[in-house]
Amino acid sequence: MTENSPEPDPFAELAREINQRFSEELLVQRAQNAVTVAQAVGLVYREALMAGVPASLAEGMAGEYWSAEMSLTSEVDPEEVD
């Protein structure tokens, strides 16, 4: 290092690493949630069809379920997660 360059801040580096790990974990968790919701959407669609619901209505039901679940997961602010 030169005389004019500041010393690296080990705390800042540690905080950056922790933040990156939490961000990666949050991304994985959100992806897993999306997969689970997609499976549930398929279940809603198949069950509706098997119950005799017309395909267009079953598709609408599944789409509404997807929208409702995804709006719940998107309301979580990553800055507020402890």
Side-chain angles (χ1 to χ4, degrees):
M1 291 212 163
T2 65
E3 287 183 27
N4 294 337
S5 63
E7 288 284 323
D9 182 358
F11 179 75
E13 182 61 29
L14 178 62
R16 246 187 320 276
E17 289 174 11
I18 290 171
N19 187 36
Q20 182 175 351
R21 274 189 254 144
F22 280 140
S23 294
E24 291 168 358
E25 289 175 17
L26 181 60
L27 178 64
V28 169
Q29 181 182 12
R30 291 181 69 197
Q32 290 170 338
N33 289 345
V35 169
T36 301
V37 172
Q39 292 169 335
V41 166
L43 179 64
V44 168
Y45 180 73
R46 283 191 310 272
E47 291 294 322
L49 289 177
M50 290 186 344
V53 174
S56 60
L57 181 55
E59 187 176 322
M61 292 167 60
E64 286 181 20
Y65 181 80
W66 173 265
S67 296
E69 288 297 315
M70 288 293 98
S71 69
L72 290 176
T73 61
S74 68
E75 290 175 6
V76 176
D77 183 359
E79 297 295 321
E80 293 179 6
V81 175
D82 292 328

Coordinates of all heavy atoms in Angstrom, one line a residue:
M1 N 0.8 -1.2 0.0 CA 0.0 0.0 0.0 C 0.9 1.2 0.0 O 2.0 1.2 0.6 CB -0.9 0.0 1.2 CG -1.9 -1.0 1.3 SD -3.3 -0.4 2.1 CE -4.5 -1.6 1.5
T2 N 0.4 2.3 -0.6 CA 1.1 3.5 -0.6 C 0.7 4.3 0.7 O -0.2 4.0 1.4 CB 0.7 4.4 -1.8 OG1 -0.6 4.7 -1.7 CG2 1.1 3.6 -3.1
E3 N 1.5 5.3 1.0 CA 1.2 6.1 2.2 C -0.2 6.8 2.2 O -0.8 7.0 3.2 CB 2.3 7.2 2.4 CG 3.6 6.6 2.8 CD 4.6 7.7 3.0 OE1 4.2 8.8 3.4 OE2 5.8 7.4 2.9
N4 N -0.6 7.2 1.0 CA -1.9 7.9 0.9 C -3.1 7.0 0.8 O -4.2 7.5 0.9 CB -1.9 8.8 -0.4 CG -0.8 9.9 -0.2 OD1 -0.4 10.3 0.9 ND2 -0.4 10.4 -1.3
S5 N -3.0 5.7 0.5 CA -4.1 4.9 0.4 C -4.6 4.4 1.8 O -3.8 4.1 2.7 CB -3.9 3.7 -0.5 OG -2.9 2.9 0.1
P6 N -5.9 4.4 2.0 CA -6.4 4.1 3.3 C -6.3 2.6 3.6 O -6.2 1.8 2.7 CB -7.9 4.5 3.3 CG -8.2 4.4 1.8 CD -7.0 4.8 1.1
E7 N -6.2 2.3 4.9 CA -6.1 0.9 5.3 C -7.4 0.2 5.0 O -8.5 0.8 5.1 CB -5.8 0.8 6.8 CG -4.5 1.2 7.2 CD -3.4 0.1 6.9 OE1 -3.8 -1.1 7.1 OE2 -2.3 0.4 6.6
P8 N -7.4 -1.0 4.5 CA -8.7 -1.7 4.3 C -9.4 -1.9 5.6 O -8.8 -2.2 6.7 CB -8.3 -3.1 3.7 CG -6.9 -3.2 4.0 CD -6.3 -1.9 4.2
D9 N -10.7 -1.7 5.6 CA -11.5 -1.8 6.8 C -12.0 -3.2 6.9 O -12.9 -3.7 6.2 CB -12.7 -0.8 6.8 CG -13.5 -0.9 8.0 OD1 -13.3 -1.7 8.9 OD2 -14.5 -0.1 8.1
P10 N -11.4 -4.0 7.8 CA -11.9 -5.5 7.9 C -13.3 -5.6 8.3 O -14.0 -6.5 7.8 CB -11.0 -6.1 9.0 CG -10.2 -5.0 9.6 CD -10.4 -3.7 8.8
F11 N -13.9 -4.7 9.1 CA -15.3 -4.8 9.4 C -16.1 -4.5 8.2 O -17.1 -5.2 8.0 CB -15.6 -3.8 10.5 CG -17.1 -3.8 10.9 CD1 -17.6 -4.8 11.7 CD2 -17.9 -2.8 10.5 CE1 -18.9 -4.9 12.0 CE2 -19.3 -2.9 10.8 CZ -19.8 -3.9 11.6
A12 N -15.8 -3.5 7.4 CA -16.6 -3.2 6.2 C -16.5 -4.4 5.2 O -17.5 -4.8 4.6 CB -16.0 -2.0 5.5
E13 N -15.4 -5.0 5.1 CA -15.2 -6.2 4.2 C -16.1 -7.4 4.7 O -16.8 -8.0 3.9 CB -13.8 -6.6 4.1 CG -13.5 -7.8 3.2 CD -13.9 -7.5 1.7 OE1 -13.9 -6.4 1.3 OE2 -14.3 -8.5 1.1
L14 N -16.1 -7.6 6.0 CA -16.9 -8.7 6.6 C -18.4 -8.4 6.4 O -19.1 -9.3 6.0 CB -16.6 -8.8 8.1 CG -17.4 -9.8 8.9 CD1 -17.1 -11.2 8.3 CD2 -17.0 -9.8 10.4
A15 N -18.8 -7.2 6.6 CA -20.2 -6.8 6.4 C -20.6 -7.0 5.0 O -21.7 -7.4 4.7 CB -20.4 -5.3 6.8
R16 N -19.7 -6.6 4.0 CA -20.0 -6.8 2.6 C -20.2 -8.3 2.3 O -21.1 -8.7 1.6 CB -18.8 -6.3 1.7 CG -19.2 -5.1 0.9 CD -18.1 -4.6 -0.1 NE -16.8 -4.6 0.4 CZ -16.2 -3.7 1.2 NH1 -16.9 -2.6 1.5 NH2 -14.9 -3.8 1.6
E17 N -19.3 -9.1 2.8 CA -19.4 -10.6 2.6 C -20.7 -11.2 3.1 O -21.3 -12.0 2.5 CB -18.2 -11.3 3.2 CG -16.9 -11.0 2.4 CD -15.7 -11.6 3.1 OE1 -15.8 -12.4 4.1 OE2 -14.5 -11.3 2.7
I18 N -21.0 -10.8 4.3 CA -22.2 -11.2 5.0 C -23.5 -10.8 4.2 O -24.4 -11.6 3.9 CB -22.3 -10.8 6.4 CG1 -21.3 -11.5 7.3 CG2 -23.7 -11.0 7.0 CD1 -21.1 -10.9 8.7
N19 N -23.5 -9.5 3.8 CA -24.6 -9.0 3.0 C -24.7 -9.8 1.6 O -25.8 -10.1 1.2 CB -24.4 -7.5 2.7 CG -25.6 -6.9 2.0 OD1 -26.7 -7.3 2.3 ND2 -25.3 -6.0 1.1
Q20 N -23.6 -10.1 1.0 CA -23.7 -10.9 -0.2 C -24.2 -12.3 0.0 O -25.0 -12.7 -0.8 CB -22.3 -11.0 -0.9 CG -22.3 -11.7 -2.2 CD -20.9 -11.7 -2.9 OE1 -20.0 -11.0 -2.5 NE2 -20.8 -12.5 -3.9
R21 N -23.8 -12.9 1.1 CA -24.3 -14.3 1.4 C -25.8 -14.2 1.7 O -26.5 -15.1 1.2 CB -23.6 -14.9 2.6 CG -22.3 -15.6 2.1 CD -21.7 -16.4 3.3 NE -20.5 -15.6 3.7 CZ -20.1 -15.4 4.9 NH1 -20.7 -16.0 5.9 NH2 -19.0 -14.7 5.2
F22 N -26.2 -13.2 2.4 CA -27.7 -13.1 2.7 C -28.5 -12.9 1.4 O -29.5 -13.4 1.2 CB -28.0 -12.0 3.7 CG -27.7 -12.4 5.1 CD1 -27.2 -11.6 6.0 CD2 -28.1 -13.7 5.6 CE1 -26.9 -11.9 7.4 CE2 -27.9 -14.1 6.9 CZ -27.3 -13.2 7.8
S23 N -27.9 -12.0 0.5 CA -28.6 -11.8 -0.7 C -28.7 -13.0 -1.6 O -29.8 -13.3 -2.2 CB -27.8 -10.7 -1.5 OG -27.9 -9.5 -0.8
E24 N -27.6 -13.8 -1.6 CA -27.7 -15.1 -2.4 C -28.7 -16.0 -1.8 O -29.4 -16.7 -2.5 CB -26.3 -15.7 -2.4 CG -25.3 -14.9 -3.3 CD -23.9 -15.3 -3.1 OE1 -23.6 -16.2 -2.2 OE2 -23.0 -14.8 -3.8
E25 N -28.7 -16.1 -0.4 CA -29.6 -17.0 0.2 C -31.1 -16.6 0.0 O -32.0 -17.4 -0.2 CB -29.3 -17.1 1.7 CG -28.1 -17.9 2.0 CD -27.7 -17.9 3.5 OE1 -28.5 -17.5 4.3 OE2 -26.5 -18.2 3.8
L26 N -31.3 -15.3 0.0 CA -32.7 -14.7 -0.2 C -33.1 -15.1 -1.7 O -34.2 -15.5 -1.9 CB -32.7 -13.2 0.0 CG -34.1 -12.6 -0.2 CD1 -35.1 -13.1 0.7 CD2 -33.9 -11.1 0.0
L27 N -32.2 -15.0 -2.6 CA -32.5 -15.3 -4.0 C -32.9 -16.7 -4.1 O -33.9 -17.1 -4.8 CB -31.3 -15.0 -4.9 CG -31.5 -15.3 -6.4 CD1 -32.6 -14.5 -7.0 CD2 -30.2 -15.1 -7.1
V28 N -32.1 -17.6 -3.5 CA -32.4 -19.1 -3.5 C -33.8 -19.3 -2.9 O -34.6 -20.1 -3.4 CB -31.3 -19.9 -2.9 CG1 -31.7 -21.3 -2.7 CG2 -30.0 -19.8 -3.7
Q29 N -34.0 -18.7 -1.8 CA -35.3 -18.9 -1.1 C -36.5 -18.4 -1.9 O -37.5 -19.1 -2.0 CB -35.3 -18.2 0.3 CG -36.6 -18.4 1.1 CD -36.6 -17.6 2.4 OE1 -35.7 -16.7 2.6 NE2 -37.5 -17.9 3.2
R30 N -36.3 -17.3 -2.6 CA -37.4 -16.8 -3.4 C -37.7 -17.7 -4.6 O -38.8 -18.0 -5.0 CB -37.1 -15.4 -3.9 CG -37.2 -14.4 -2.7 CD -36.9 -13.0 -3.2 NE -38.0 -12.5 -4.0 CZ -38.0 -11.5 -4.8 NH1 -36.9 -10.8 -5.0 NH2 -39.0 -11.2 -5.6
A31 N -36.6 -18.3 -5.2 CA -36.7 -19.2 -6.3 C -37.4 -20.5 -5.8 O -38.3 -21.0 -6.5 CB -35.3 -19.5 -6.9
Q32 N -37.1 -21.0 -4.6 CA -37.7 -22.2 -4.1 C -39.2 -21.9 -3.9 O -40.0 -22.8 -4.1 CB -37.0 -22.7 -2.8 CG -35.6 -23.2 -3.1 CD -34.8 -23.5 -1.8 OE1 -35.1 -22.9 -0.8 NE2 -33.9 -24.4 -1.9
N33 N -39.5 -20.7 -3.3 CA -40.9 -20.4 -3.1 C -41.7 -20.3 -4.4 O -42.8 -20.8 -4.5 CB -41.0 -19.1 -2.4 CG -40.6 -19.1 -0.9 OD1 -40.5 -20.2 -0.4 ND2 -40.3 -18.0 -0.3
A34 N -41.1 -19.8 -5.5 CA -41.7 -19.7 -6.8 C -42.0 -21.1 -7.3 O -43.1 -21.3 -7.9 CB -40.9 -18.9 -7.7
V35 N -41.1 -22.0 -7.1 CA -41.3 -23.4 -7.6 C -42.4 -24.0 -6.8 O -43.3 -24.7 -7.4 CB -40.0 -24.2 -7.5 CG1 -40.2 -25.7 -7.7 CG2 -38.9 -23.7 -8.5
T36 N -42.5 -23.9 -5.5 CA -43.5 -24.4 -4.7 C -44.9 -23.9 -5.1 O -45.9 -24.6 -5.3 CB -43.3 -24.2 -3.2 OG1 -42.0 -24.7 -2.9 CG2 -44.4 -24.7 -2.4
V37 N -44.9 -22.6 -5.4 CA -46.2 -22.0 -5.8 C -46.6 -22.5 -7.2 O -47.8 -22.7 -7.4 CB -46.1 -20.4 -5.8 CG1 -47.3 -19.8 -6.4 CG2 -45.9 -19.9 -4.3
A38 N -45.6 -22.6 -8.1 CA -45.9 -23.2 -9.4 C -46.5 -24.6 -9.3 O -47.5 -24.9 -10.0 CB -44.7 -23.2 -10.3
Q39 N -46.0 -25.4 -8.4 CA -46.5 -26.7 -8.2 C -48.0 -26.6 -7.7 O -48.8 -27.4 -8.1 CB -45.7 -27.5 -7.3 CG -44.3 -27.9 -7.8 CD -43.3 -28.4 -6.8 OE1 -43.5 -28.2 -5.6 NE2 -42.4 -29.2 -7.3
A40 N -48.2 -25.7 -6.8 CA -49.6 -25.5 -6.2 C -50.5 -25.0 -7.3 O -51.7 -25.5 -7.4 CB -49.6 -24.6 -5.0
V41 N -50.1 -24.2 -8.2 CA -50.9 -23.7 -9.3 C -51.3 -24.8 -10.2 O -52.4 -24.9 -10.6 CB -50.1 -22.6 -10.1 CG1 -50.8 -22.3 -11.4 CG2 -50.0 -21.3 -9.3
G42 N -50.3 -25.7 -10.5 CA -50.6 -26.9 -11.3 C -51.7 -27.8 -10.6 O -52.6 -28.3 -11.3
L43 N -51.6 -27.9 -9.3 CA -52.6 -28.7 -8.6 C -53.9 -28.0 -8.6 O -54.9 -28.7 -8.9 CB -52.1 -28.8 -7.1 CG -53.0 -29.6 -6.2 CD1 -53.1 -31.0 -6.6 CD2 -52.5 -29.5 -4.7
V44 N -54.0 -26.7 -8.5 CA -55.3 -26.0 -8.6 C -55.9 -26.3 -9.9 O -57.1 -26.6 -10.1 CB -55.1 -24.5 -8.3 CG1 -56.4 -23.7 -8.7 CG2 -54.8 -24.2 -6.9
Y45 N -55.1 -26.1 -11.0 CA -55.6 -26.3 -12.4 C -56.1 -27.7 -12.6 O -57.2 -28.0 -13.1 CB -54.5 -25.9 -13.3 CG -54.9 -26.1 -14.8 CD1 -55.7 -25.2 -15.4 CD2 -54.4 -27.1 -15.6 CE1 -56.1 -25.3 -16.7 CE2 -54.7 -27.2 -16.9 CZ -55.6 -26.3 -17.5 OH -56.0 -26.4 -18.8
R46 N -55.3 -28.7 -12.2 CA -55.6 -30.1 -12.5 C -56.9 -30.5 -11.7 O -57.8 -31.2 -12.2 CB -54.5 -31.1 -12.1 CG -53.4 -31.1 -13.1 CD -52.4 -32.2 -12.8 NE -51.9 -32.3 -11.4 CZ -50.9 -31.6 -11.0 NH1 -50.2 -30.8 -11.8 NH2 -50.5 -31.7 -9.7
E47 N -56.9 -30.1 -10.4 CA -58.1 -30.5 -9.6 C -59.4 -29.8 -10.1 O -60.4 -30.4 -10.1 CB -57.8 -30.1 -8.1 CG -56.8 -30.9 -7.4 CD -57.2 -32.4 -7.2 OE1 -58.3 -32.6 -6.9 OE2 -56.3 -33.2 -7.4
A48 N -59.2 -28.6 -10.5 CA -60.4 -27.9 -11.1 C -60.9 -28.7 -12.4 O -62.1 -28.9 -12.5 CB -60.1 -26.5 -11.4
L49 N -60.0 -29.1 -13.2 CA -60.4 -29.8 -14.4 C -61.0 -31.1 -14.1 O -62.1 -31.5 -14.7 CB -59.1 -30.1 -15.3 CG -58.6 -28.9 -16.1 CD1 -57.3 -29.3 -16.8 CD2 -59.6 -28.2 -17.0
M50 N -60.5 -31.8 -13.1 CA -61.0 -33.1 -12.7 C -62.4 -33.0 -12.0 O -63.2 -33.9 -12.1 CB -60.0 -33.9 -11.8 CG -58.8 -34.3 -12.5 SD -57.6 -35.3 -11.6 CE -57.9 -35.2 -9.9
A51 N -62.6 -31.8 -11.5 CA -64.0 -31.5 -10.9 C -65.0 -31.1 -11.9 O -66.1 -30.8 -11.6 CB -63.8 -30.5 -9.8
G52 N -64.5 -31.0 -13.2 CA -65.5 -30.6 -14.2 C -65.5 -29.1 -14.6 O -66.4 -28.7 -15.3
V53 N -64.6 -28.4 -14.0 CA -64.6 -26.9 -14.3 C -64.0 -26.8 -15.7 O -63.1 -27.4 -16.1 CB -63.6 -26.2 -13.3 CG1 -63.4 -24.8 -13.6 CG2 -64.2 -26.4 -11.9
P54 N -64.7 -25.9 -16.5 CA -64.2 -25.7 -17.9 C -62.7 -25.2 -17.8 O -62.3 -24.5 -16.9 CB -65.1 -24.6 -18.4 CG -66.3 -24.7 -17.6 CD -65.9 -25.1 -16.2
A55 N -61.9 -25.6 -18.8 CA -60.5 -25.3 -18.9 C -60.2 -23.8 -18.8 O -59.3 -23.4 -18.0 CB -59.9 -25.9 -20.2
S56 N -61.0 -23.0 -19.4 CA -60.7 -21.6 -19.4 C -60.9 -21.0 -17.9 O -60.1 -20.2 -17.5 CB -61.5 -20.8 -20.4 OG -62.9 -21.0 -20.1
L57 N -61.9 -21.5 -17.2 CA -62.1 -21.1 -15.9 C -61.1 -21.6 -14.9 O -60.6 -20.9 -14.1 CB -63.5 -21.5 -15.4 CG -63.9 -21.1 -14.0 CD1 -63.8 -19.6 -13.8 CD2 -65.3 -21.6 -13.7
A58 N -60.7 -22.9 -15.1 CA -59.6 -23.5 -14.3 C -58.3 -22.7 -14.5 O -57.6 -22.5 -13.6 CB -59.4 -25.0 -14.7
E59 N -58.0 -22.3 -15.8 CA -56.8 -21.5 -16.0 C -56.9 -20.2 -15.3 O -55.9 -19.7 -14.7 CB -56.7 -21.3 -17.5 CG -55.4 -20.7 -17.9 CD -55.3 -20.5 -19.4 OE1 -55.7 -21.5 -20.1 OE2 -54.7 -19.5 -19.9
G60 N -58.1 -19.6 -15.3 CA -58.2 -18.3 -14.6 C -58.1 -18.5 -13.1 O -57.4 -17.7 -12.4
M61 N -58.6 -19.6 -12.5 CA -58.4 -19.8 -11.1 C -57.0 -20.0 -10.8 O -56.5 -19.5 -9.8 CB -59.2 -21.1 -10.7 CG -60.7 -21.0 -10.8 SD -61.6 -22.6 -10.7 CE -61.1 -23.2 -9.2
A62 N -56.3 -20.8 -11.6 CA -54.8 -21.0 -11.3 C -54.1 -19.7 -11.4 O -53.2 -19.5 -10.6 CB -54.3 -22.1 -12.3
G63 N -54.4 -18.9 -12.4 CA -53.7 -17.6 -12.6 C -54.0 -16.7 -11.4 O -53.0 -16.0 -11.0
E64 N -55.2 -16.7 -10.9 CA -55.5 -15.8 -9.8 C -54.7 -16.3 -8.5 O -54.2 -15.5 -7.7 CB -57.0 -15.8 -9.5 CG -57.8 -15.0 -10.5 CD -59.3 -15.0 -10.2 OE1 -59.7 -15.3 -9.0 OE2 -60.0 -14.7 -11.1
Y65 N -54.6 -17.6 -8.4 CA -53.9 -18.2 -7.2 C -52.4 -17.8 -7.3 O -51.8 -17.3 -6.4 CB -54.0 -19.7 -7.2 CG -53.3 -20.3 -6.0 CD1 -53.9 -20.3 -4.8 CD2 -52.0 -20.9 -6.2 CE1 -53.2 -20.8 -3.7 CE2 -51.3 -21.4 -5.1 CZ -51.9 -21.4 -3.8 OH -51.3 -21.9 -2.8
W66 N -51.8 -17.9 -8.5 CA -50.5 -17.5 -8.8 C -50.3 -16.0 -8.4 O -49.3 -15.7 -7.7 CB -50.1 -17.7 -10.2 CG -48.7 -17.2 -10.6 CD1 -48.4 -16.0 -11.1 CD2 -47.4 -17.8 -10.4 NE1 -47.1 -15.8 -11.3 CE2 -46.4 -16.9 -10.8 CE3 -47.1 -19.1 -9.8 CZ2 -45.1 -17.3 -10.8 CZ3 -45.7 -19.4 -9.8 CH2 -44.7 -18.5 -10.2
S67 N -51.1 -15.2 -8.9 CA -51.0 -13.7 -8.7 C -51.1 -13.4 -7.2 O -50.3 -12.6 -6.6 CB -52.1 -13.0 -9.4 OG -51.9 -13.1 -10.8
A68 N -52.0 -14.1 -6.5 CA -52.2 -13.8 -5.1 C -51.0 -14.2 -4.3 O -50.5 -13.5 -3.4 CB -53.4 -14.5 -4.5
E69 N -50.4 -15.4 -4.6 CA -49.3 -15.9 -3.9 C -48.0 -15.1 -4.2 O -47.2 -14.8 -3.3 CB -49.0 -17.4 -4.2 CG -50.0 -18.3 -3.6 CD -50.0 -18.3 -2.1 OE1 -48.9 -18.3 -1.5 OE2 -51.1 -18.3 -1.5
M70 N -47.9 -14.7 -5.4 CA -46.7 -13.9 -5.8 C -46.7 -12.5 -5.2 O -45.7 -12.0 -4.8 CB -46.5 -13.9 -7.3 CG -46.1 -15.2 -7.9 SD -44.4 -15.7 -7.5 CE -44.6 -16.8 -6.1
S71 N -47.9 -12.0 -5.1 CA -48.0 -10.6 -4.5 C -47.7 -10.7 -3.0 O -47.1 -9.8 -2.4 CB -49.4 -10.0 -4.7 OG -50.4 -10.7 -3.9
L72 N -48.0 -11.8 -2.3 CA -47.6 -12.0 -0.9 C -46.1 -12.1 -0.8 O -45.5 -11.5 0.1 CB -48.3 -13.3 -0.3 CG -49.8 -13.2 -0.1 CD1 -50.2 -14.6 0.4 CD2 -50.2 -12.2 0.9
T73 N -45.4 -12.8 -1.7 CA -44.0 -13.0 -1.5 C -43.3 -11.7 -1.9 O -42.2 -11.4 -1.4 CB -43.5 -14.2 -2.3 OG1 -43.8 -14.0 -3.7 CG2 -44.1 -15.5 -1.8
S74 N -43.8 -10.9 -2.8 CA -43.1 -9.7 -3.3 C -43.3 -8.6 -2.3 O -42.6 -7.6 -2.4 CB -43.6 -9.3 -4.7 OG -44.9 -8.9 -4.6
E75 N -44.2 -8.7 -1.3 CA -44.4 -7.7 -0.4 C -43.3 -7.6 0.7 O -43.2 -6.7 1.5 CB -45.8 -7.8 0.3 CG -47.0 -7.5 -0.6 CD -48.3 -7.8 0.0 OE1 -48.4 -8.1 1.2 OE2 -49.3 -7.6 -0.7
V76 N -42.5 -8.7 0.8 CA -41.5 -8.8 1.7 C -40.3 -7.9 1.2 O -39.8 -8.1 0.2 CB -41.0 -10.2 1.9 CG1 -39.8 -10.3 2.9 CG2 -42.1 -11.1 2.4
D77 N -40.0 -6.9 2.0 CA -38.9 -6.0 1.7 C -37.6 -6.6 2.2 O -37.4 -6.8 3.4 CB -39.1 -4.6 2.3 CG -38.0 -3.6 2.0 OD1 -37.1 -4.0 1.2 OD2 -38.2 -2.5 2.4
P78 N -36.6 -6.9 1.3 CA -35.4 -7.6 1.8 C -34.6 -6.7 2.8 O -33.9 -7.3 3.6 CB -34.5 -7.7 0.5 CG -35.5 -7.5 -0.6 CD -36.6 -6.8 -0.1
E79 N -34.8 -5.4 2.8 CA -34.2 -4.6 3.8 C -34.8 -4.8 5.2 O -34.2 -4.5 6.2 CB -34.3 -3.1 3.4 CG -33.6 -2.8 2.1 CD -32.1 -2.9 2.2 OE1 -31.5 -2.6 3.3 OE2 -31.5 -3.4 1.3
E80 N -36.0 -5.3 5.3 CA -36.7 -5.5 6.5 C -36.5 -6.9 7.1 O -36.8 -7.2 8.2 CB -38.2 -5.3 6.4 CG -38.5 -3.8 6.1 CD -40.0 -3.6 5.9 OE1 -40.8 -4.5 6.2 OE2 -40.4 -2.5 5.6
V81 N -35.9 -7.8 6.3 CA -35.7 -9.2 6.8 C -34.5 -9.2 7.8 O -33.5 -8.6 7.5 CB -35.4 -10.1 5.6 CG1 -35.0 -11.5 6.1 CG2 -36.5 -10.1 4.6
D82 N -34.8 -9.7 9.0 CA -33.7 -9.8 10.0 C -32.8 -10.9 9.8 O -33.1 -12.0 9.4 CB -34.4 -9.9 11.4 CG -35.1 -8.6 11.8 OD1 -34.7 -7.5 11.3 OD2 -36.1 -8.7 12.5

